[in-house]
Amino acid sequence: MKVLINQKEGPQHSTSWNVPWIEYLKQNHIECDTVDLFQTDAIKVLKDYDCLLWHFGQYSLSNMLEARSILYSAKMMGLKVFPDFNDAWHFDDKVAEMYALQAVGAPIPQSWVFYDLQALKAAMEKNELQFPIVAKLRSGSGSHNVKLIHSKSQLLRYARRMFGRGFDPAPSLLYKTSSNIRSSHDKATFMSKLKRAPEFLRVLKNAKRFPNEKGYVYLQEFIPSDGFDMKVVVVGDKLTGLHRPIRSHDFRASGGGECLYDKTLFSSQIIDSAFAAADALGFQCVGFDYVVDNRTGKGVIVEMSYGFSHTALMGLGGWFDREHNFHEETMNAPQELLKNMLEK
């Protein structure tokens, strides 16, 4: 078995899965190489390997343009790959995520996507849209590019912009800075976030290469919660996660940097629906963002991604099986995924 991990030279992002992958392969005496497939003849290089791993992010234009093409070509050559087609065809496209989740009957908020202004106006005239309502760009993470809209007039202004020059999808430096300040409850937390500032600036520089998002309006029903959302991760037959308090004076939680761990929040409905959605969509690994509707007590999926910050999830100290039993054994998601791949 020979494993290839795509990796650029230079500093790695703190959420990169390459470090835990390499660590696992070395511990299990499995041959592993790292190569930047954009700097070589990718197909020629891949012929010497059995498995390709590529934890690509949404703020690299080259990755978003070509990483999936190389991964799926490697699969056609007989390699095991992660992410596979099912894991990543919808990555960083919230509209595609909506269609996929709707297709398998997963619990999601009521959602709308409009591709021209007249269709949106017709829906408003019929009072099909209830305010407040959440508007999202297709791309983005950490609550970037998510707005809460309170009225028809505000939605019309937003829609005219989306069907005009559109919005820059790059994360906001001002929003990130203010978010970090509001979510830092002590000096140590603030200093930890400050040390990652150069990393965010590199991400921002890369994100500025993307064109404006425009030509559609994507809306989600606003789900009233009890002040938190949940990251729920499924890898094979194991489920783990965390919950994130909503920022003060905001309605968003993702990206705030504050993580809490309470096993009792993982209801049977959330566990069962997360496993069911992951199975139906053929995921090897997925992180669902859940919001618990305080009117019904039910969790709904608002976003999903094949990749996420895995170290934060280890704070739960264990994982649930499909029968809802909790196992007090810390799960390292990238390594659990890799173990499952190699066993197959």
Side-chain angles (χ1 to χ4, degrees), residues 21-274:
W21 279 337
I22 292 170
E23 180 183 77
Y24 180 88
L25 293 167
K26 286 183 177 179
Q27 289 174 349
N28 289 274
H29 309 291
I30 298 171
E31 188 174 351
C32 165
D33 293 319
T34 59
V35 173
D36 183 353
L37 290 173
F38 287 131
Q39 301 298 321
T40 186
D41 184 339
I43 300 303
K44 182 178 180 180
V45 169
L46 289 169
K47 291 179 180 178
D48 295 328
Y49 294 89
D50 304 294
C51 180
L52 171 61
L53 306 173
W54 192 336
H55 184 216
F56 66 93
Q58 66 266 54
Y59 291 125
S60 167
L61 184 59
S62 57
N63 279 351
M64 291 304 294
L65 287 173
E66 298 300 340
R68 282 171 282 208
S69 300
I70 296 173
L71 281 158
Y72 306 158
S73 297
K75 183 178 180 180
M76 294 174 65
M77 296 166 64
L79 280 74
K80 289 285 293 181
V81 303
F82 181 82
D84 207 334
F85 179 83
N86 288 345
D87 302 304
W89 68 265
H90 45 76
F91 174 61
D92 201 37
D93 185 339
K94 296 177 180 62
V95 176
E97 294 169 22
M98 175 200 72
Y99 287 134
L101 291 165
Q102 285 178 337
V104 299
I108 65 172
Q110 189 173 2
S111 305
W112 304 263
V113 59
F114 301 97
Y115 296 104
D116 64 73
L117 186 57
Q118 295 308 313
L120 174 62
K121 287 181 176 179
M124 286 196 295
E125 289 172 1
K126 296 175 184 176
N127 293 318
E128 294 176 0
L129 308 176
Q130 301 298 314
F131 296 92
I133 198 166
V134 180
K136 296 184 176 183
L137 299 187
R138 291 166 54 251
S139 61
S141 64
S143 293
H144 295 288
N145 306 333
V146 178
K147 301 177 184 292
L148 188 62
I149 293 179
H150 296 274
S151 66
K152 289 183 178 181
S153 60
Q154 187 181 356
L155 179 55
L156 274 175
R157 287 195 299 272
Y158 175 83
R160 290 191 179 103
R161 174 81 175 264
M162 283 299 292
F163 291 117
R165 69 181 185 275
F167 287 93
D168 181 356
S172 165
L173 179 59
L174 177 62
Y175 173 69
K176 182 67 173 179
T177 303
S178 62
S179 173
N180 281 343
I181 292 172
R182 290 199 305 268
S183 60
S184 297
H185 302 300
D186 53 62
K187 183 178 179 180
T189 303
F190 178 76
M191 294 304 298
S192 175
K193 293 181 178 182
L194 187 62
K195 288 179 181 178
R196 295 199 298 271
E199 184 175 271
F200 176 76
L201 293 175
R202 288 196 299 272
V203 168
L204 182 61
K205 180 181 177 181
N206 290 332
K208 288 294 184 182
R209 300 176 62 195
F210 285 80
N212 278 8
E213 287 285 324
K214 58 184 178 179
Y216 67 93
V217 170
Y218 173 49
L219 304 171
Q220 269 187 355
E221 170 193 8
F222 173 70
I223 303 296
S225 71
D226 287 329
F228 65 90
D229 76 356
M230 298 179 68
K231 174 70 77 176
V232 179
V233 166
V234 176
V235 185
D237 293 324
K238 298 182 180 181
L239 180 150
T240 190
L242 52 81
H243 66 283
R244 304 170 291 200
I246 291 173
R247 300 173 177 87
S248 61
H249 311 296
D250 202 344
F251 72 101
R252 296 164 290 191
S254 175
E258 185 175 4
C259 301
L260 302 174
Y261 306 92
D262 183 349
K263 296 191 291 290
T264 65
L265 295 178
F266 291 81
S267 65
S268 297
Q269 181 264 335
I270 288 176
I271 294 172
D272 290 341
S273 64

